[in-house]
Amino acid sequence: PYSCFRWRVDSCVGRRSASTMKEGVQAQSDGAYHVVHEDISNAQARRLRAVPLSATLCKSAAERFPELAGADSRAIITGSSIEVVGQAERLTTRLQNILKSYPCDATILKEFVQNADDAGASEVHFVWDWRDAPRKSLIADALHVWQGPCLWVYNDAEFKPEEFNSICALGVGGKHGKGKIGQFGIGFCSAYHLTDVPSILSGERLQILDPHVLHLEALGACSAAPGVRLNFVQGDFAARFPDQFEPYKRILADLGFGEEASLSKPVPRTILRLPLRTHETLRGAKEISSNVLTKEMAEQMVASFVRGEAHQWLVFLSSVARIRMSTITA
């Protein structure tokens, strides 16, 4: 280990002399340790994968927290008398609290219009799609419950890589320029009023989020990274998992972009898919929201939209000049 107690080496290593400590790195049977030579800086010792003496003197965290095994040694200082603690909040709890600021009504649609405006889009199109999609060849079998009716949110601007990252950064908007009225990290979360597994297709990427980590765990999703991002062009995923990509191909054709429906090339626009929460999907996943959107509730959103809210929104937008809404029956 390297000494992080340079001001009192002797007392921290069994009261052996500093000169004795400089000769090696192995622990002694009586509890004393040889430490890295004092002429070697702590930064260099870390690069050489030496651990701090403070961690060595404490009981290894790997015994109590196996998930930290292999992590940076500076993060595993713990023992019977020292524990790793801190303030933390579950993502699902955070999302639940965010939703309290967003009514489950046409406000949800407004957030997506604002985000599209921030991205420089000129058109936004909402499509209520009440059709089911095939459920066999999926990237994860657990996703089959989300192949039902959905709300599509289309805009004609392509997502940038940093915007994909911004979606994952709660409370950190990806848009900070003058006149920007949307905030991706927060505003996008209004989608969780309707779904637990939103997805975004743009360029050559498809990003699927799963805050409960109930559907994408087989692909490596975890509480620290509850989602996956696929490069469907490089990975040829549309051909390998046709049922997973069938809804996206179908809506592209419905919107008049049939030449892009093969998904063999980047798509120069953005399509959000919000598969609607059902009583089936609620099993084991109620931490964010228990809202189940019915056709009647969707019709109320449409009615509010038609009555003039969309026209009011346009007054405050800088790039979006057209907002549309459609319905596709089962």
Side-chain angles (χ1 to χ4, degrees):
Y2 64 87
S3 175
C4 46
F5 305 114
R6 294 295 175 92
W7 65 94
R8 52 180 309 180
V9 173
D10 290 352
S11 63
C12 291
V13 290
R15 299 190 181 279
R16 289 172 173 263
S17 67
S19 59
T20 303
M21 304 306 165
K22 300 172 186 176
E23 300 173 357
V25 296
Q26 294 184 349
Q28 305 300 300
S29 60
D30 61 358
Y33 290 83
H34 292 318
V35 297
V36 172
H37 195 283
E38 63 183 9
D39 290 343
I40 298 177
S41 69
N42 287 354
Q44 184 62 34
R46 286 193 292 269
R47 284 194 288 271
L48 295 172
R49 304 185 69 82
V51 299
L53 184 57
S54 57
T56 306
L57 293 175
C58 297
K59 190 175 182 179
S60 171
E63 297 178 6
R64 301 184 63 196
F65 301 99
E67 66 272 17
L68 293 180
D72 188 325
S73 61
R74 288 168 291 174
I76 58 172
I77 303 175
T78 188
S80 58
S81 58
I82 300 180
E83 297 181 19
V84 175
V85 298
Q87 295 172 309
E89 184 178 31
R90 290 171 58 90
L91 174 59
T92 50
T93 302
R94 172 72 168 136
L95 291 172
Q96 184 184 62
N97 290 333
I98 289 174
L99 290 184
K100 294 176 182 178
S101 301
Y102 294 91
C104 186
D105 56 20
T107 302
I108 299 171
L109 308 181
K110 182 179 180 181
E111 290 300 322
F112 291 113
V113 172
Q114 291 179 336
N115 287 342
D117 191 67
D118 287 347
S122 63
E123 178 183 0
V124 178
H125 192 169
F126 298 99
V127 182
W128 295 96
D129 188 347
W130 299 101
R131 299 171 293 186
D132 285 327
R135 303 170 181 245
K136 293 183 179 179
S137 51
L138 305 177
I139 59 173
D141 290 341
L143 288 172
H144 76 277
V145 295
W146 296 102
Q147 289 292 93
C150 68
L151 171 63
W152 295 100
V153 185
Y154 159 84
N155 73 66
D156 58 357
E158 183 175 342
F159 243 45
K160 299 179 178 64
E162 60 268 24
E163 291 168 342
F164 275 103
N165 294 330
S166 183
I167 288 291
C168 301
L170 297 185
V172 182
K175 306 294 183 180
H176 298 290
K178 183 178 180 181
K180 302 302 183 182
I181 59 176
Q183 189 178 34
F184 271 105
I186 295 294
F188 176 81
C189 293
S190 61
Y192 291 104
H193 270 307
L194 309 180
T195 186
D196 292 321
V197 186
S199 63
I200 308 146
L201 185 145
S202 187
E204 58 188 19
R205 296 175 175 85
L206 171 65
Q207 180 164 297
I208 307 175
L209 302 177
D210 177 22
H212 287 106
V213 197
L214 291 176
H215 309 92
L216 297 174
E217 190 174 15
L219 298 178
C222 61
S223 58
V228 296
R229 186 181 303 157
L230 311 175
N231 187 315
F232 56 83
V233 175
Q234 292 182 4
D236 196 25
F237 286 107
R240 295 163 60 189
F241 302 96
D243 289 359
Q244 186 72 63
F245 286 85
E246 176 60 24
Y248 306 95
K249 291 182 174 182
R250 192 166 58 185
I251 196 64
L252 281 169
D254 293 335
L255 293 171
F257 307 110
E259 70 280 2
E260 300 171 6
S262 67
L263 298 179
S264 59
K265 297 184 295 185
V267 176
R269 58 197 85 256
T270 297
I271 301 175
L272 280 66
R273 181 173 184 266
L274 310 180
L276 302 181
R277 189 182 290 112
T278 66
H279 292 292
E280 181 182 11
T281 64
L282 276 177
R283 296 171 186 167
K286 297 182 180 180
E287 295 180 31
I288 298 175
S289 173
S290 58
N291 288 339
V292 173
L293 190 82
T294 63
K295 283 190 177 182
E296 292 72 22
M297 294 171 65
E299 289 171 356
Q300 290 176 7
M301 283 192 189
V302 172
S304 178
F305 176 91
V306 171
R307 282 198 303 267
E309 285 199 22
H311 294 88
Q312 297 174 24
W313 301 343
L314 287 169
V315 175
F316 301 98
L317 302 174
S318 58
S319 62
V320 171
R322 186 182 188 187
I323 305 174
R324 303 174 60 191
M325 182 171 290
S326 305
T327 299
I328 301 175
T329 58

